[in-house]
Amino acid sequence: MATNPVMDRMRMRRIIAEDPTWSLDLIPALSTLCLQSIVTNFERNPVLEDLPVNQRTFVLDQLSPALPLRVTANYIADGVYWKRCCQLRWGVCDLAAYGHSWKRMYMEKHLEHMIEHFVPGLTDPKNIVSLVPLCNSYISRLEITQLLPPVKEQLRKGRNNAFPQIDHFDFRILLAKLTSLEELDITYRVKQCGMNFEWSMFEVTNRDCEYLAEAVESCKTLKFLRLSNSHLRDEHCRTLVKQLYNHPTLIHLDLSYNLIADVGGKAVGKLLTRCKLETVTLIYNNIGERGAEVLATALTKNTTLLSLNLRLNQIKDVGGQAICEALLRNNVLLHLHLGANQLTWITAEALAKVLKHNQTLKSINLSCNKLGPEGGRVLQEAIAENTTLTEFDLSKTDIDQESADFIEQVVSSNRLADKKKQS
């Protein structure tokens, strides 16, 4: 039987797809192709709100985290998209610190990054100001861990080839516009400066303080201000607190780990008589006897302060006695920390009078002072009449064990009674 070569070639013909896994069954639905088109063209034409929930979820899962904030900020609500953005950019994320909001975390950390990498004289301030309409309602807290100085080449040398004062980011352009900001934590330093280290990178200037003070005064929602590890000196402290006298919302002030001495301590004391602060923290400064005396005078007039922390200063017995005498007339303060202040039994004797009469104090810390056995016995006698103190840290004070045990027993009893009262 004769064969037909043409028919044989047709029977042997095959179509080989470029994709070996391709199948007619894998052709996407028209709705899916439309959604993929929305994803591709989202920057030019953001369509989301009108989609059903399942289609909206598909689009959010496909959108690129690299989309401009001007596109995503006002169109994409809190949820999976912002979670992807945060985890891709920062890896491990502590969501609890941001009110369990992924969008708030992204907005706050992004703004912090912009401020921390702002170079005065090079970076356009509009780059930061333009973010405010996009993220304002999500900015509740800012933690600025570095502030860059201007580039050296931009600065004109003065006499003896010395560079002029280096100013940092001007917070005046930003804080007044952040209408939801409640916490501001700033450190004037440069991280990872390596071989380019200079002390000026770690210091706040007079003009920095002036600008920051004006910015804080303009932010009427701010409750917590922390300015630490910035070589803040007396003149800086005075400049800053002058603008805080009549601040309507500020209740927490933390100026720890700076170089504030008596003049700065006096400035804070004056502030306590003119504002509504509830917490003042001045850990590891150089505040001495005179500064402590002014703070003590302020305590006799203040009606809002609940916590005062002067750990690691140099108030000594003169300052310690002054504060204790003030507490005989103060019925507001709940927590007092005077640890590591070169106090002796003389301050312990003054505090004993407070323990007998003050019915407000809940916790006292005198750790790392040299109270000695005599100081321990005086406090032991006084604590027997106290029913309100629930925490009393006397570690590393050289008091005898018998006094320490008795004081701990009374404090524990007070703590148990306080818990029963609250329940």
Side-chain angles (χ1 to χ4, degrees):
M1 180 177 175
T3 61
N4 188 333
V6 175
M7 294 298 295
D8 289 343
R9 283 197 299 272
M10 291 181 64
R11 280 193 292 268
M12 294 173 62
R13 185 181 179 187
R14 291 186 303 163
I15 298 177
I16 302 175
E18 292 181 3
D19 184 356
T21 63
W22 184 90
S23 167
L24 188 63
D25 297 332
L26 296 179
I27 296 177
L30 180 59
S31 60
T32 303
L33 292 174
C34 292
L35 292 175
Q36 289 174 344
S37 178
I38 290 175
V39 171
T40 303
N41 298 283
F42 194 85
E43 183 174 349
R44 287 179 293 173
N45 184 26
V47 177
L48 198 62
E49 291 299 322
D50 296 333
L51 298 177
V53 175
N54 60 329
Q55 295 181 354
R56 193 183 310 162
T57 302
F58 176 89
V59 172
L60 290 175
D61 285 340
Q62 299 298 317
L63 284 178
S64 169
L67 283 171
L69 202 58
R70 58 179 171 77
V71 176
T72 58
N74 295 323
Y75 283 97
I76 302 179
D78 197 2
V80 292
Y81 173 79
W82 297 106
K83 179 179 180 179
R84 282 197 297 119
C85 291
C86 290
Q87 292 179 337
L88 182 65
R89 189 167 175 183
W90 296 293
V92 178
C93 301
D94 182 11
L95 193 60
Y98 298 89
H100 297 280
S101 169
W102 289 106
K103 191 171 183 178
R104 176 187 161 189
M105 173 186 283
Y106 187 87
M107 295 298 186
E108 288 186 356
K109 290 179 75 67
H110 179 66
L111 184 56
E112 289 168 355
H113 175 84
M114 294 292 289
I115 296 173
E116 289 177 354
H117 292 83
F118 180 94
V119 180
L122 286 183
T123 308
D124 188 349
K126 293 180 180 178
N127 294 343
I128 292 180
V129 175
S130 63
L131 292 175
V132 174
L134 306 176
C135 63
N136 182 27
S137 58
Y138 290 91
I139 304 297
S140 176
R141 182 187 64 186
L142 289 177
E143 184 177 355
I144 311 301
T145 58
Q146 78 165 8
L147 287 167
L148 299 179
V151 177
K152 262 188 176 183
E153 287 71 15
Q154 294 178 272
L155 302 173
R156 292 183 178 179
K157 289 186 178 181
R159 293 182 179 178
N160 302 321
N161 292 326
F163 286 99
Q165 221 177 26
I166 299 178
D167 299 317
H168 301 79
F169 176 73
D170 184 356
F171 283 92
R172 294 179 302 174
I173 68 173
L174 181 65
L175 294 194
K177 299 177 176 66
L178 297 178
T179 56
S180 300
L181 183 66
E182 294 186 352
E183 297 184 38
L184 181 61
D185 188 336
I186 302 174
T187 301
Y188 283 84
R189 65 177 176 184
V190 177
K191 298 187 295 185
Q192 300 176 347
C193 57
M195 297 300 293
N196 296 318
F197 169 83
E198 290 182 17
W199 277 116
S200 58
M201 294 180 175
F202 295 80
E203 292 184 353
V204 56
T205 68
N206 291 327
R207 196 152 45 199
D208 284 332
C209 265
E210 291 175 11
Y211 293 167
L212 179 61
E214 292 177 25
V216 169
E217 195 276 333
S218 69
C219 185
K220 303 303 182 183
T221 58
L222 195 67
K223 295 181 179 179
F224 186 104
L225 174 62
R226 185 170 188 263
L227 180 56
S228 63
N229 286 294
S230 300
H231 284 211
L232 198 71
R233 300 178 186 276
D234 283 339
E235 60 271 24
H236 305 138
C237 184
R238 292 176 63 184
T239 300
L240 180 65
V241 301
K242 281 182 181 179
Q243 296 289 340
L244 304 180
Y245 286 159
N246 299 308
H247 199 287
T249 57
L250 191 68
I251 56 177
H252 302 282
L253 179 64
D254 188 344
L255 301 177
S256 299
Y257 301 97
N258 284 298
L259 302 173
I260 300 171
D262 285 338
V263 174
K266 292 177 182 179
V268 175
K270 187 175 181 180
L271 177 65
L272 287 176
T273 64
R274 303 186 61 173
C275 67
K276 300 178 180 179
L277 285 173
E278 295 181 2
T279 302
V280 170
T281 305
L282 295 165
I283 299 172
Y284 207 151
N285 279 283
N286 297 324
I287 298 174
E289 299 170 350
R290 300 295 173 259
E293 287 178 325
V294 175
L295 288 169
T297 301
L299 285 177
T300 64
K301 304 174 183 178
N302 183 278
T303 59
T304 61
L305 191 67
L306 303 178
S307 175
L308 176 62
N309 193 331
L310 291 172
R311 178 167 64 92
L312 287 165
N313 279 277
Q314 303 170 31
I315 70 171
K316 301 181 181 179
D317 285 323
V318 172
Q321 283 180 295
I323 291 175
C324 290
E325 290 173 5
L327 291 177
L328 293 174
R329 289 182 279 174
N330 180 291
N331 58 359
V332 179
L333 195 71
L334 299 177
H335 310 287
L336 176 65
H337 200 319
L338 299 179
N341 265 285
Q342 303 177 39
L343 306 178
T344 70
W345 64 271
I346 297 175
T347 298
E349 195 172 58
L351 183 61
K353 298 177 182 178
V354 177
L355 294 176
K356 293 178 180 179
H357 298 95
N358 185 289
Q359 298 297 313
T360 307
L361 278 169
K362 293 288 185 181
S363 69
I364 301 175
N365 191 315
L366 293 180
S367 60
C368 302
N369 285 297
K370 298 180 180 180
L371 306 183
E374 186 175 352
R377 287 192 292 271
V378 171
L379 293 174
Q380 176 183 346
E381 181 182 346
I383 198 74
E385 304 178 33
N386 184 281
T387 59
T388 57
L389 201 65
T390 57
E391 293 181 28
F392 199 0
D393 191 342
L394 291 167
S395 57
K396 299 181 180 179
T397 56
D398 297 332
I399 67 172
D400 59 83
Q401 193 61 44
E402 181 181 349
S403 298
D405 292 342
F406 182 85
I407 292 171
E408 178 57 31
Q409 182 180 357
V410 173
V411 170
S412 297
S413 178
N414 291 346
R415 188 160 52 239
L416 182 61
D418 186 61
K419 286 183 180 179
K420 290 182 178 179
K421 183 179 179 180
Q422 291 181 3
S423 61

